[in-house]
Amino acid sequence: MSPEVDVVVVGAGAAGIAAARLLRARGRTVRLLEAGGRIGGRAFTETASLGAPFDHGASWIHVAERNPLTPIAREMGFTLRDERRRVRDILLFEGRPASAAERAAHDAACEAWEAAVEARDAAGDADIPLASAVPRDGPWDATVSHWFSSIISGVEAEDFSLRDYVATGLDGANLQVAEGFGTLVARLGEGLPVTLRTPVAQLRWDGAGVRAEGAWGALRAGAAIVTVSTGVLAAEGIRFDPALPDDIQAAIAGLPQGLLSKVALRAAGEARLGLGAFARLGRQAQGAGDHPMSWMLWPWGRDHAVGFIGGATAWALAREGPAAAGAFARAELARYFGAAEVARAFAPGAVATGWAEDPLFLGAYSHARVGCYGARATLRDAVLAGGRLRFAGEACHTRTAGTVGGAWESGERAAREVDAALG
Ligand SMILES: Cc1cc2nc3c(=O)[nH]c(=O)nc-3n(C[C@H](O)[C@H](O)[C@H](O)COP(=O)(O)OP(=O)(O)OC[C@H]3O[C@@H](n4cnc5c(N)ncnc54)[C@H](O)[C@@H]3O)c2cc1C
């Protein structure tokens, strides 16, 4: 089949945009096929719902010292704010503000938790659930596990590979983007040859090239880079013909999507609950079934608060719909301020993100199942059709998986490999 373009890139998120930019810089013809009505994927900023930029997906430039997007954002004039980890303006212990000693105990529990995880990983035993490696009996241990696993990684520690957790742990600085991280990624995609609302339903591949097909028609290309989430791949959102080899299918199954959901509430008036810009709230998990939200209030001095729900609770609320997430968020805030104050301080309604339900994502970001820590490298290194079919995206990064920076680097890597394969 004679190709219409050198490379078709499936999905115009961070990985797809990075891949397309690099290939074009090398003189290749490219076509990005994007199922949705916008570019950016899981980096998505909109201003309509809150009257200010709201990142439904990514909002922090993680591991900023080594993130390829840090210098790009600076050069493009974006406004960045360095945020330290784990600072809490209000931390509740047993339902009341923690004392200085209790805060210190919380911080010590975080340190001990991380040290235990690293020591167990360094021992080099077989992969085990993250939950099996962590302290359990201290007053803050369940809280710390919930924070690091359910909230930050979007998965319960029982279902998370210890090795993958350690390999992909986020360290260093976290930068927030005033204009929105999604705005940055969308700007980087400007001018690229993207066709929106073009879901690829089937990808035929052989040593001569690929053919992407959908209800919209078909496109022949010399090579393809597939950047859709592992959730979409596992749900067979794209059929491959011939079918993917067993080891690739196993790698996809070993890298499910976790879930982080956000709920934003708008202030009713000028009152700000006595808290300044970027105020952070957190509380102790009280018992096994208690899954606290984490909060940021008034980012950039704006009039909204953003709450984060992770892991099993986020999936359960996603099944119930956005109203349930809004009610859950208000009940959480009532633990800090009382229901009457919450009702006074916040306008009715809530903006809840919908990554779980959206068939173009089916979750927030990937984690490895226990025993599957090698799956990221398997997917990243898969050489199909003589190197003319490659996978890229956050799940394919063995260090900064689950991030925009990781997706970006993965897209660039796949682009270099496809470029070499095309000769
Ligand atoms: C709530 C939330 C918070 C997050 N917070 C952060 C953060 O603070 N910092 C950070 O770095 N990362 C964060 N992330 C993760 C980050 O957003 C992702 O890791 C990254 O954006 C993934 O990029 P990607 O290119 O791999 O995939 P995607 O962005 O998913 O791009 C894939 C694209 O493929 C499209 N697609 C799907 N199916 C098809 C099809 N059949 N045909 C054609 N196109 C298709 C999708 O519409 C999508 O645009 C967060 C994510 C979420 C959801």
Side-chain angles (χ1 to χ4, degrees), residues 11-326:
I17 290 170
R21 285 169 61 108
L22 190 140
L23 286 162
R24 294 234 304 174
R26 293 191 174 194
R28 298 290 183 185
T29 55
V30 180
R31 172 63 44 187
L32 277 147
L33 298 180
E34 167 55 51
R38 58 173 180 82
I39 64 170
R42 284 171 273 173
F44 171 45
T45 312
E46 54 87 16
T47 53
S49 60
L50 297 174
F54 175 47
D55 274 316
H56 285 236
S59 53
W60 281 277
I61 302 180
H62 290 306
V63 198
E65 298 85 345
R66 300 195 302 281
N67 195 312
L69 295 169
T70 306
I72 293 175
R74 290 214 165 98
E75 200 171 302
M76 290 171 76
F78 279 83
T79 313
L80 306 179
R81 173 181 182 270
D82 195 338
E83 194 191 41
R84 283 168 300 146
R85 275 165 98 199
R86 292 205 304 258
V87 177
R88 291 280 179 270
D89 296 270
I90 301 180
L91 180 65
L92 294 189
F93 178 70
E94 296 182 349
R96 51 158 177 84
S99 66
E102 288 155 356
R103 278 178 170 272
H106 168 266
D107 293 350
C110 289
E111 301 297 333
W113 193 98
E114 290 183 294
V117 164
E118 276 162 28
R120 190 66 185 264
D121 181 62
D125 304 335
D127 195 22
I128 57 171
L130 175 61
S132 303
V134 301
R136 287 170 168 273
D137 300 326
W140 289 106
D141 289 339
T143 309
V144 177
S145 278
H146 179 69
W147 167 248
F148 282 123
S149 193
S150 311
I151 300 266
I152 292 187
S153 304
V155 57
E156 303 307 308
E158 289 75 13
D159 302 323
F160 196 176
S161 152
L162 169 67
R163 290 258 172 90
D164 189 56
Y165 175 81
V166 173
T168 62
L170 301 175
D171 53 17
N174 298 308
L175 304 179
Q176 280 186 277
V177 188
E179 299 83 354
F181 204 165
T183 305
L184 168 62
V185 174
R187 285 265 301 279
L188 291 167
E190 279 174 8
L192 291 175
V194 186
T195 313
L196 298 175
R197 299 179 190 83
T198 312
V200 173
Q202 177 152 282
L203 204 63
R204 297 181 194 274
W205 55 280
D206 61 29
V210 300
R211 183 179 150 98
E213 301 173 353
W216 45 270
L219 181 71
R220 294 185 311 280
I225 299 175
V226 176
T227 72
V228 302
S229 78
T230 48
V232 171
L233 289 172
E236 298 186 6
I238 298 174
R239 282 188 311 281
F240 290 85
D241 182 13
L244 295 174
D246 288 349
D247 63 327
I248 307 305
Q249 293 196 36
I252 291 166
L255 295 169
Q257 294 285 301
L259 187 59
L260 179 71
S261 298
K262 301 185 193 179
V263 181
L265 303 176
R266 259 186 115 162
E270 296 305 311
R272 295 290 179 267
L273 297 163
L275 293 165
F278 297 101
R280 300 297 301 250
L281 314 181
R283 66 174 183 84
Q284 182 200 30
Q286 295 186 294
D290 185 23
H291 300 126
M293 290 177 74
S294 168
W295 286 91
M296 173 178 287
L297 273 61
W298 329 130
W300 310 99
R302 294 167 183 158
D303 70 350
H304 65 264
V306 183
F308 301 82
I309 312 172
T313 312
W315 287 110
L317 286 167
R319 281 190 290 275
E320 289 181 51

Side-chain angles (χ1 to χ4, degrees), residues 310-383:
T313 312
W315 287 110
L317 286 167
R319 281 190 290 275
E320 289 181 51
F328 187 84
R330 280 171 197 276
E332 274 285 310
L333 281 176
R335 289 173 178 259
Y336 297 83
F337 307 109
E341 187 59 33
V342 171
R344 261 195 304 276
F346 292 98
V351 182
T353 58
W355 300 104
E357 312 86 300
D358 191 328
L360 302 186
F361 303 98
L362 298 174
Y365 33 74
S366 62
H367 60 273
R369 293 187 202 277
V370 181
C372 299
Y373 61 90
R376 299 192 190 281
T378 303
L379 199 55
R380 178 195 67 190
D381 297 339
V383 181

